[in-house]
Amino acid sequence: MGIYDSIIRSIFFDHYEKGKVSIPFEREEFIQKAEELKINSAKNLGDIVYSYKYRKKLPNEILETAPCGCYWRIRSVGKAHYEFVLEKGMEFIEPDTMLATIKIPDGTPSIVKKYSASDEQALLTIVRYNRLIDTFLGITCYSLQNHLRTTVDGIGQIERHYKMIDACVITGEDLSLYNSH
């Protein structure tokens, strides 16, 4: 059982009541919980929430409280304010095994592979070198910005890890930007 699991599990069950569909909590609770549990707090408190939103599943004890056909997720509701929200459906999308597989040779330079970490930035580098977004969309795309962190009212801090510009040739010499992601 990891530090993150212990902290998030304890916060959830401090606020949980059967039948609730929303359980608000704040980032400062992470420090309090770490002290209560006599464990070293994470240095980057925001990473606790980020991990469960994007990298890993919530602990099984939390998942088991969700009714059949529902799952718990963490939603940002302000700066350092979050809530566990009960959602209908599945937590993760399962790929359709009946779809055709498109094989794409790996065009990532070996020196880039050698020195890449195993995080989302490294994965996005591979996506860019292999032009996977171009292949998926069927148009030429150009990398415009690779990382943006900002604050949105009512949500809190957000990060966008990849911004692409789709380009379309209007005439033989005119390249016009028409859409941004």
Side-chain angles (χ1 to χ4, degrees):
M1 172 177 17
I3 292 171
Y4 287 9
D5 284 355
S6 299
I7 292 171
I8 206 77
R9 182 184 304 108
S10 184
I11 289 171
F12 179 86
F13 285 107
D14 277 357
H15 300 285
Y16 174 73
E17 292 175 22
K18 189 173 177 126
K20 276 190 171 181
V21 295
S22 173
I23 302 172
F25 65 99
E26 298 177 12
R27 187 181 329 192
E28 67 185 41
E29 293 181 55
F30 298 145
I31 296 169
Q32 296 165 356
K33 279 296 153 200
E35 289 172 1
E36 274 180 36
L37 298 169
K38 295 181 174 47
I39 56 178
N40 291 328
S41 172
K43 289 183 175 105
N44 179 359
L45 296 177
D47 192 53
I48 296 174
V49 170
Y50 188 86
S51 290
Y52 292 109
K53 285 176 77 171
Y54 304 111
R55 292 188 197 127
K56 60 189 280 187
K57 288 185 174 189
L58 289 164
N60 284 332
E61 295 87 347
I62 294 173
L63 298 176
E64 290 168 357
T65 66
C68 186
C70 296
Y71 68 97
W72 288 105
R73 75 176 183 93
I74 297 175
R75 180 171 62 189
S76 300
V77 292
K79 192 169 187 175
H81 294 271
Y82 312 96
E83 66 181 342
F84 293 97
V85 182
L86 193 59
E87 300 277 348
K88 291 184 179 185
M90 299 182 307
E91 183 176 9
F92 296 100
I93 298 170
E94 296 293 327
D96 185 344
T97 56
M98 297 302 290
L99 294 175
T101 301
I102 300 171
K103 294 185 179 188
I104 299 174
D106 189 353
T108 310
S110 58
I111 193 164
V112 172
K113 284 185 198 176
K114 182 177 179 178
Y115 294 106
S116 291
S118 60
D119 61 2
E120 63 259 31
Q121 294 302 317
L123 178 61
L124 290 170
T125 299
I126 293 168
V127 166
R128 187 171 55 249
Y129 272 112
N130 290 286
R131 306 200 64 91
L132 296 180
I133 295 174
D134 303 49
T135 300
F136 178 76
L137 294 176
I139 58 176
T140 304
C141 298
Y142 299 94
S143 175
L144 177 66
Q145 184 174 8
N146 292 326
H147 192 261
L148 172 70
R149 181 177 293 148
T150 190
T151 303
V152 176
D153 291 339
I155 295 176
Q157 181 175 297
I158 63 165
E159 292 186 33
R160 184 181 61 216
H161 287 282
Y162 207 51
K163 184 171 184 176
M164 297 295 290
I165 296 293
D166 310 336
C168 139
V169 177
I170 304 300
T171 67
E173 298 177 9
D174 181 22
L175 186 68
S176 299
L177 300 176
Y178 73 92
N179 192 7
S180 170
H181 299 289

